[in-house]
Amino acid sequence: MAATAPGRRPWGSLLGLLGLLGLASTASWDLASLRCNFGAFCECDFRPDLPGLECDLAQHLAGQHLARELVVKALKAFVQDPAPTKPLVLSLHGWTGTGKSYVSSLLAHYLFQGGLRSPHVHHFSPVIHFPHPSHIERYKKDLKSWVQGNLTACSRSLFLFDEMDKLPPGLMEVLRPFLGSSWVVYGTNYRKAIFIFISNTGGEQINQVALEAWRSRRDREEIRLQELEPVISRAVLDNPHHGFWHSGIMEEHLLDTVVPFLPLQRHHVRHCVLNELAQLGLEPRDEVVQAVLDSTTFFPEDEQLFSSNGCKTVAARIAFFL
């Protein structure tokens, strides 16, 4: 099965890996990878820079106090543990354009020397990798083999699963043995891996909580995870199109942290526009900023409070108005 980032071949087992030592023309790993299998000292290209991540999130992730807090807290605890008992499993939820994919790309950038191009960062998309529900049994076999093989090559691996609400139901069940707190699975050490699942499911429920907080004059920063986690979990369990529908992953509480992304207000979109202009090396121009805001759709109809597309279309709109 192909993956968007280059990675190790999905060898079926460590014995199969060793049996191919002499086939230099087909082996896609080297002696460093072999040492990774037998020594806990090897971290592959895992080079976490948590201060850099915190700084980038504070400067560029608009309106997401909860996401910043939860992601940094979970990563610190995981990275600082020399022998974690299970992989880190994060589930990112929220409306389109609120920063979920942006955060996942930052994690790859600040955790691995090669960022998204690291051979140990693996990005899966339903449209690209699992487009035909009728092929689910083959997808299950391929996905299990891919994850097992790459964890055999390097236990410090990051697996990103995008658009979880478009995955064939049942596919994610093959990951369940890798997400728990056992020491080994299929002969593979997997406790240092990170799994990130991204979806829009729960976005409407998060928006409603944020809207009710605004209407009751509560500060946005007062919204806590305890208010959002139950409604997100219910939205996932009730969505037959979500990859975790009727899944043991949810039933066994294998998700370490549910990360909600709140809907973005006008001043957050302004922040995104200014960030994008800075990335382009351009000075802030009031007429461009205002033109982007004026072309952005907000909801609900009466309050005009939240951006319909978050910051997702900001770059394209800036290009149009320059």
Side-chain angles (χ1 to χ4, degrees):
M1 178 178 67
T4 56
R8 307 298 185 184
R9 288 184 60 182
W11 310 114
S13 67
L14 183 57
L15 290 177
L17 184 64
L18 295 173
L20 290 166
L21 268 172
L23 302 181
S25 62
T26 58
S28 62
W29 50 275
D30 52 22
L31 290 178
S33 296
L34 182 60
R35 288 197 297 271
C36 283
N37 292 308
F38 295 101
F41 61 86
C42 183
E43 297 287 271
C44 306
D45 72 339
F46 188 71
R47 304 289 186 272
D49 175 11
L50 296 186
L53 174 64
E54 284 190 80
C55 181
D56 207 327
L57 288 173
Q59 289 183 347
H60 301 122
L61 183 64
Q64 303 299 349
H65 69 283
L66 270 177
R68 287 200 308 270
E69 174 187 327
L70 292 169
V71 167
V72 170
K73 181 179 179 180
L75 278 174
K76 279 185 176 179
F78 184 72
V79 169
Q80 291 170 2
D81 187 347
T85 57
K86 70 181 293 296
L88 177 62
V89 186
L90 304 178
S91 188
L92 280 50
H93 298 262
W95 200 252
T96 182
T98 51
K100 302 183 299 297
S101 295
Y102 177 67
V103 167
S104 64
S105 67
L106 285 185
L107 294 184
H109 176 76
Y110 284 104
L111 292 178
F112 291 84
Q113 192 170 13
L116 287 169
R117 295 186 177 183
S118 167
H120 310 299
V121 174
H122 312 281
H123 185 195
F124 297 90
S125 165
V127 176
I128 297 173
H129 299 107
F130 317 112
H132 305 296
S134 60
H135 297 170
I136 186 170
E137 293 306 318
R138 177 166 64 85
Y139 293 155
K140 285 181 178 180
K141 180 179 178 181
D142 289 348
L143 180 58
K144 174 184 172 182
S145 179
W146 182 266
V147 172
Q148 182 181 343
N150 281 284
L151 288 178
T152 299
C154 180
S155 60
R156 284 294 193 189
S157 295
L158 171 62
F159 300 92
L160 298 171
F161 291 85
D162 209 355
E163 297 185 295
M164 284 288 292
D165 36 7
K166 296 181 181 178
L167 283 173
L171 176 61
M172 291 292 98
E173 281 302 283
V174 300
L175 297 181
R176 183 165 52 161
F178 297 100
L179 304 183
S181 55
S182 299
W183 285 92
V184 292
V185 171
Y186 311 122
T188 298
N189 183 339
Y190 66 100
R191 293 167 290 132
K192 292 186 175 182
I194 299 175
F195 291 83
I196 299 178
F197 303 100
I198 305 170
S199 77
N200 293 340
T201 299
E204 293 184 8
Q205 290 77 8
I206 295 170
N207 293 354
Q208 188 60 37
V209 171
L211 179 60
E212 291 172 0
W214 181 83
R215 285 173 174 169
S216 61
R217 302 184 183 277
R218 289 175 60 202
D219 283 345
R220 181 187 180 92
E221 286 70 23
E222 293 180 17
I223 299 175
R224 308 311 303 166
L225 178 63
Q226 290 78 2
E227 300 175 64
L228 297 171
E229 188 172 22
V231 296
I232 294 172
S233 297
R234 176 51 54 192
V236 170
L237 293 173
D238 289 345
N239 184 357
H241 302 292
H242 196 281
F244 288 155
W245 188 62
H246 285 182
S247 169
I249 293 172
M250 295 290 291
E251 295 169 1
E252 297 174 23
H253 306 286
L254 298 180
L255 302 180
D256 293 300
T257 305
V258 171
V259 183
F261 285 72
L262 301 174
L264 300 184
Q265 296 175 236
R266 186 174 297 270
H267 64 282
H268 300 130
V269 179
R270 178 185 292 274
H271 183 92
C272 292
V273 176
L274 294 175
N275 274 341
E276 185 65 24
L277 288 171
Q279 290 291 320
L280 294 173
L282 300 174
E283 292 294 325
R285 291 168 51 184
D286 290 341
E287 68 275 14
V288 173
V289 175
Q290 193 58 49
V292 173
L293 290 174
D294 290 343
S295 68
T296 301
T297 304
F298 292 86
F299 71 96
E301 185 176 350
D302 292 338
E303 289 92 345
Q304 295 287 294
L305 183 62
F306 301 129
S307 169
S308 298
N309 293 304
C311 286
K312 193 167 189 175
T313 61
V314 161
R317 292 173 188 271
I318 287 177
F320 181 78
F321 291 115
L322 284 177

